[in-house]
C-alpha cells in the first residue's frame, strides 16, 4: 500500500489496535504496535525495522527495535483476540494445520538449523514454524503460531540463553506443536471446524488418533504407502495350541498399500470444488471405507478395547477419499477422514482442497507483509514479529470482508 492509502486508514487501524492490543499494558507500546503495523502494510522491499522506520513519517528505529525485540508484552492474548475476531468474521469451514520455513544465514537466530526447507525445496539452513489458519473458499488468515525448536537446540544452554528461549520450551515434534496450538484455540471456546492438513501431518496415525480423542473431525492427506484393509476384511480366531498365552484374533490377508484397495469396481465421479482464476477446478473422486492398519492403529484399537486380550481383532472403519483425474491412469491423491462415508462427496473434496487456500496467506504474509524479513535473533522477538504480521493481515482481511463495518473499541 502507498503512504497515502495507509495514512487514510490510521483511524480504523487505531481502533483495531485498541481492541486486539488491549492486553498490552502501556500506551506507548500500543502506539509503537500501531506504527509497526503501518510499516508492514506500507510498500517496500524490506519490512525489517530500519527500512520501515525510514519510510514512516513518525518512524523511530530505536523505539520500534525495542518494542519488537526487548519489550516484555505477551503476544498470546493479542493472538487470542485476533482469533476471536477472525473466527467471528470469517466463519471458517476448516482450520488448516501447516508449517512454513524461513531460510537463514548463520547459526545464532533462534531455532535455526539445517533441516528441510519448504521455501527452497531442499535441506538448508532455516527456521521452521507450525501454524493454524482459519479458512473458507473466500478468506483465510493465521490464528496461531509456534516456532519449531530442533533437537540440537534443546540442550545447548549457551544458545538458549543468547536467544532467550524460555526454560519450559524444549524440542517437540511438529505434530505435537500442532496439537498444542489446536488445544490453545479450542480452550478459547472457539468452535472447532473440520481440521485439514497435508500428508506431512496426515501420515502420522498418532496425530489423527489424537484429534479423534478430542472429538474433532478431520480430512488429512495421507501417503499412498499407508496400509489398510478393505471394509469386508474380518479377523478370525486361531485355535489355541495349549501352550503359552492365548492366541489373538488376526486377519487372513496382509494389509495393502492404499492404491491396492482401489480396483476396477471403484466408482469415481466428477466433482467441482470451486471456480479458480484459471477456470473451474474439477476432477474425479471416489469414497471408500477402509480399515487403517499398522502398529499404531492396532495398538490403539487394543487400548480402546481394554487391552490386547480383550480385543476382538476388528480394526475401526475410516473413510478414504481418492482422487483420479480423468486423464490419469491411477489415483494421484488420498485423504483419510473420520467423517462418515455418507458425508456428501462435494463437501469432502472442498475441505480437502481448501488446504491450498493458505498458500495465498503465505504469499501475502511473506511478500506483502514481511513475515520472513525479521532480522532479530531472539525467541521473544520472533513471536512478537509474527504476531504483528498476523495482526496486519487480520486487519486487511476484516476490511476486505466488510470495508464499511465499524471496528469495535
Amino acid at each position: 500500500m502507498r503512504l497515502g492509502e495507509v495514512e487514510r486508514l490510521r483511524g480504523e487501524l487505531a481502533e483495531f489496535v485498541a481492541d486486539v492490543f488491549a492486553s498490552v499494558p502501556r500506551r506507548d507500546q500500543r502506539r509503537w504496535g500501531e506504527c509497526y503495523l503501518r510499516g508492514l502494510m506500507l510498500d517496500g522491499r524490506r519490512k525489517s525495522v530500519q527500512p520501515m522506520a525510514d519510510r514512516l513519517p513518525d518512524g523511530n528505529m530505536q523505539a520500534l527495535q525495542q518494542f519488537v525485540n526487548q519489550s516484555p508484552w505477551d503476544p498470546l492474548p493479542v493472538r487470542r483476540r485476533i482469533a476471536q475476531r477472525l473466527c467471528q468474521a470469517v466463519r471458517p469451514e476448516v482450520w488448516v494445520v501447516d508449517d512454513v520455513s524461513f531460510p537463514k544465514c548463520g547459526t545464532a537466530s533462534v531455532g535455526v538449523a539445517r533441516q528441510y526447507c519448504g521455501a527452497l525445496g531442499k535441506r538448508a539452513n532455516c527456521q521452521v514454524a507450525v501454524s493454524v489458519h482459519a479458512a473458507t473458499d473466500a478468506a483465510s488468515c493465521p490464528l496461531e503460531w509456534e516456532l519449531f525448536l530442533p533437537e540440537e537446540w534443546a540442550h545447548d544452554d549457551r544458545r538458549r540463553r543468547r536467544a532467550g528461549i524460555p526454560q519450559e520450551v524444549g524440542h517437540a515434534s511438529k505434530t505435537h506443536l500442532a496439537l498444542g496450538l489446536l488445544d490453545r484455540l479450542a480452550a478459547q471456546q472457539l468452535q472447532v471446524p473440520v481440521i485439514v492438513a497435508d500428508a506431512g501431518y496426515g501420515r502420522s496415525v498418532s496425530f489423527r488418533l489424537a484429534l479423534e480423542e478430542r472429538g474433532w473431525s478431520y480430512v488429512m492427506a495421507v501417503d499412498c504407502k499407508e496400509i489398510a484393509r478393505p471394509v469386508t476384511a474380518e479377523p478370525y480366531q486361531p485355535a489355541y495350541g495349549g501352550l503359552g498365552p492365548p492366541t489373538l484374533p488376526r486377519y487372513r490377508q496382509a494389509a495393502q498399500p492404499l492404491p491396492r484397495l482401489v480396483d476396477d469396481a471403484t466408482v469415481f465421479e466428477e466433482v467441482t470444488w470451486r471456480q479458480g482464476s484459471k477456470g473451474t477446478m474439477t476432477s474425479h473422486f471416489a469414497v471408500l471405507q477402509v480399515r487403517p492398519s499398522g502398529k499404531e492403529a492396532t495398538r490403539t484399537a487394543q487400548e480402546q478395547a481394554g487391552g490386547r486380550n480383550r480385543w476382538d481383532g476388528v480394526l475401526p472403519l475410516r473413510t478414504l477419499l481418492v482422487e483420479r483425474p480423468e486423464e490419469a491412469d491411477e489415483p494421484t491423491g488420498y485423504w483419510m477422514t473420520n467423517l462418515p462415508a455418507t458425508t456428501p462427496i462435494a463437501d469432502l473434496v472442498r475441505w480437502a482442497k481448501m488446504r491450498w487456500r493458505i498458500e495465498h496467506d503465505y504469499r501475502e504474509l511473506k511478500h506483502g507483509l514481511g513475515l520472513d524479513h525479521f532480522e532479530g535473533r531472539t525467541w521473544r522477538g520472533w513471536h512478537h514479529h509474527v504476531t504483528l504480521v498476523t495482526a496486519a493481515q487480520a486487519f486487511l482481511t476484516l476490511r476486505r470482508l466488510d470495508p464499511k463495518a465499524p471496528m469495535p473499541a
Side-chain angles (χ1 to χ4, degrees), residues 74-90:
D74 187 353
L76 290 181
V78 178
R79 296 206 297 267
R80 186 180 306 127
R81 180 56 184 148
I82 291 171
Q84 292 168 350
R85 290 282 301 274
L86 283 169
C87 287
Q88 182 180 12
V90 173

Side-chain angles (χ1 to χ4, degrees), residues 235-299:
Y236 76 101
Q237 180 69 54
Y240 179 53
L243 296 174
T247 55
L248 298 177
R250 64 188 65 174
Y251 286 87
R252 296 181 185 275
Q253 302 296 326
Q256 302 290 326
L258 296 180
R260 303 274 294 272
L261 300 178
V262 182
D263 55 27
D264 294 339
T266 305
V267 178
F268 286 84
E269 59 182 286
E270 186 175 81
V271 179
T272 298
W273 61 92
R274 73 179 178 89
Q275 296 290 330
S277 58
K278 298 182 180 179
T280 302
M281 309 296 286
T282 301
S283 188
H284 289 75
F285 297 86
V287 173
L288 309 174
Q289 282 190 300
V290 299
R291 300 184 186 276
S293 303
K295 292 182 180 179
E296 286 185 284
T298 300
R299 182 174 61 250

Side-chain angles (χ1 to χ4, degrees), residues 8-149:
R8 283 194 293 272
L9 293 175
R10 287 190 68 164
E12 291 181 40
L13 183 60
E15 293 179 8
F16 175 79
V17 168
D19 178 32
V20 300
F21 285 83
S23 60
V24 177
R26 289 169 39 186
R27 190 188 318 180
D28 63 316
Q29 291 174 326
R30 295 192 295 273
R31 173 196 167 198
W32 290 117
E34 186 264 344
C35 184
Y36 199 93
L37 262 60
R38 283 189 283 116
L40 292 172
M41 292 187 290
L42 194 59
D43 288 342
R45 289 189 62 185
R46 290 294 298 174
K47 301 296 177 74
S48 52
V49 170
Q50 182 175 349
M52 287 198 302
D54 292 342
R55 287 190 289 266
L56 291 164
D58 55 344
N60 182 308
M61 187 182 74
Q62 184 176 356
L64 289 173
Q65 189 81 29
Q66 197 278 334
F67 169 73
V68 73
N69 283 310
Q70 285 85 40
S71 187
W73 57 276
D74 187 353
L76 290 181
V78 178
R79 296 206 297 267
R80 186 180 306 127
R81 180 56 184 148
I82 291 171
Q84 292 168 350
R85 290 282 301 274
L86 283 169
C87 287
Q88 182 180 12
V90 173
R91 297 185 179 181
E93 288 190 72
V94 300
W95 282 353
V96 184
V97 176
D98 203 7
D99 51 68
V100 61
S101 56
F102 309 91
K104 289 286 182 180
C105 297
T107 61
S109 294
V110 61
V112 70
R114 186 167 180 81
Q115 55 194 320
Y116 180 76
C117 179
L120 301 177
K122 61 180 181 180
R123 285 181 60 84
N125 215 48
C126 66
Q127 296 168 312
V128 175
V130 178
S131 57
V132 176
H133 303 241
T136 66
D137 282 329
S140 57
C141 194
L143 304 177
E144 266 294 0
W145 296 89
E146 192 68 86
L147 184 65
F148 172 71
L149 196 67

